[in-house]
Amino acid sequence: MKRLNIILCCALLAAGGFSAIAQKKSSHAAAHKQLLANATQSKDQIKLIEQNTFIDLLDNELEPELDIYTEGWNSKSVNPFKEQDVPDTKVIDVTGYVMPHNGIITSPYGYRKRFGRMHKGVDIGIHSNDTIYAAFDGKVRLTAYEGRGYGNYIIIRHPNGLETVYGHLNKHLVRPDDVVRAGDPIGLGGSTGRSTGPHLHFETRFMGYAINPMAIFDFANHTTHTDEYTFSKKTYTQPRNFAPKKNNRELAKSDANTYKSGNQEITTYTVKKGDTINKIARAYGMSATSLKKLNNLGEHDMIKIGQELKLK
């Protein structure tokens, strides 16, 4: 009898062990299935993020933002400029700039035929919460939220007459009436409002007119095309390209005092009657500031006829 009891106990222990092993295997199988499900879900999420990022690069996929200066807002607070006060042309000093962000252009300025509406700025690719900087010295005129388009946005007014707009921010770092310097952090970039992924919507305006930012900034080289931009009601929507050859061809058509051919081998230029630093710099595709630095010229130094200037 004692031996039988021992055998029964062993059998019960064995059964319990097998049951525990079975439960453990079952638990491991369930966990494995859950891991596979999570992995699949993560892949799907990654694909969704990649797809949304790709969509954000297609400038015709989304309807352009409503113009905050003319639609859906009180024009007295958002666009205080009167059309009769806007001059036909205006020379604007664009020195003392800082790029708002050094990302690439993912969607340019221009008319969107599909929606019958202008995209009145450029979209710059960023990562979420990247710092966005003031493009020029100025004063914050407005910080607001527009759910159908710009999301969180900022408008800054500058002494040179421009206003800049920064849209789709995650967070404002400034408030109305704050005085900012070029390069000061003003916000954290994001994807608020009508947006499929993080980017900065950046506008340059003169008295309410949305200038093509690519007419002022060379985004590829993180600089301005020239030290001055001439606003014109006829050409403000057009970008600029100051490649030397093209520039000199255009100059030859319009100016009797033409410069040498835009040859890449030309390294110096001899000053002629009627020349100015700005005209020479413009002809050779550089800023006046760069030309002055190259020739050790101070801010108020004058050039003379016959003087030889370095171009490289």
Side-chain angles (χ1 to χ4, degrees):
M1 179 65 72
K2 187 174 182 181
R3 186 177 179 183
L4 180 60
N5 287 337
I6 291 172
I7 292 170
L8 287 173
C9 286
C10 289
L12 288 171
L13 286 171
F18 286 133
S19 175
I21 291 171
Q23 289 176 359
K24 195 171 183 180
K25 284 184 176 180
S26 175
S27 176
H28 282 175
H32 184 61
K33 287 181 179 179
Q34 186 61 44
L35 285 172
L36 290 174
N38 289 343
T40 301
Q41 186 177 9
S42 295
K43 287 179 181 177
D44 290 342
Q45 289 173 343
I46 290 170
K47 286 179 181 178
L48 180 60
I49 291 170
E50 289 174 345
Q51 183 181 20
N52 283 343
T53 303
F54 178 71
I55 287 173
D56 194 45
L57 297 177
L58 300 178
D59 56 7
N60 285 330
E61 285 297 319
L62 280 182
E63 184 175 0
E65 293 87 348
L66 296 174
D67 185 352
I68 53 175
Y69 278 71
T70 59
E71 299 181 54
W73 290 90
N74 183 340
S75 63
K76 291 181 181 179
S77 62
V78 177
N79 185 11
F81 306 106
K82 296 179 180 179
E83 175 59 31
Q84 63 266 26
D85 295 333
V86 182
D88 289 333
T89 61
K90 172 71 175 178
V91 176
I92 299 170
D93 181 355
V94 291
T95 57
Y97 68 91
V98 169
M99 303 302 289
H101 190 279
N102 285 340
I104 63 171
I105 299 297
T106 59
S107 183
Y109 175 103
Y111 182 72
R112 298 297 185 261
K113 185 176 180 180
R114 178 178 176 183
F115 302 108
R117 179 180 294 170
M118 283 286 291
H119 183 231
K120 294 189 175 181
V122 295
D123 291 344
I124 302 173
I126 64 168
H127 293 100
S128 186
N129 290 321
D130 275 359
T131 303
I132 307 303
Y133 302 97
F136 303 99
D137 293 351
K139 189 174 185 178
V140 179
R141 187 164 70 79
L142 185 66
T143 63
Y145 178 79
E146 205 289 296
R148 295 179 298 165
Y150 290 69
N152 291 314
Y153 70 93
I154 296 169
I155 299 178
I156 301 178
R157 181 173 293 180
H158 308 286
N160 61 8
L162 290 177
E163 287 195 333
T164 49
V165 181
Y166 312 77
H168 302 302
L169 305 175
N170 273 346
K171 185 178 181 180
H172 302 124
L173 298 180
V174 291
R175 294 178 295 181
D177 296 326
D178 282 353
V179 174
V180 296
R181 297 295 183 188
D184 282 353
I186 57 169
L188 300 181
S191 186
T192 58
R194 189 175 178 83
S195 170
T196 59
H199 70 279
L200 172 68
H201 176 82
F202 177 64
E203 295 183 10
T204 48
R205 299 234 180 190
F206 175 69
M207 300 190 74
Y209 277 73
I211 298 167
N212 187 340
M214 296 176 75
I216 298 172
F217 292 97
D218 177 353
F219 287 94
N221 295 302
H222 306 149
T223 185
T224 53
H225 293 296
T226 54
D227 289 341
E228 293 179 338
Y229 167 72
T230 301
F231 166 81
S232 166
K233 287 182 179 179
K234 295 180 180 179
T235 62
Y236 72 93
T237 63
Q238 299 172 12
R240 291 196 293 174
N241 180 2
F242 282 98
K245 288 183 180 180
K246 176 182 183 298
N247 189 75
N248 279 275
R249 285 199 302 269
E250 294 302 317
L251 189 62
K253 295 176 185 177
S254 60
D255 192 344
N257 179 30
T258 58
Y259 303 110
K260 297 178 182 179
S261 172
N263 190 325
Q264 295 296 328
E265 299 303 317
I266 294 175
T267 59
T268 62
Y269 174 77
T270 302
V271 178
K272 297 179 176 63
K273 185 178 179 180
D275 282 341
T276 65
I277 284 287
N278 283 335
K279 289 178 72 176
I280 298 169
R282 207 162 45 234
Y284 285 93
M286 65 176 72
S287 69
T289 301
S290 298
L291 186 58
K292 286 178 181 178
K293 286 182 179 178
L294 199 58
N295 290 277
N296 297 317
L297 296 174
E299 184 179 352
H300 302 295
D301 287 350
M302 305 293 289
I303 57 174
K304 301 176 182 179
I305 296 173
Q307 182 177 351
E308 189 171 82
L309 299 177
K310 295 178 182 178
L311 300 176
K312 291 186 178 181

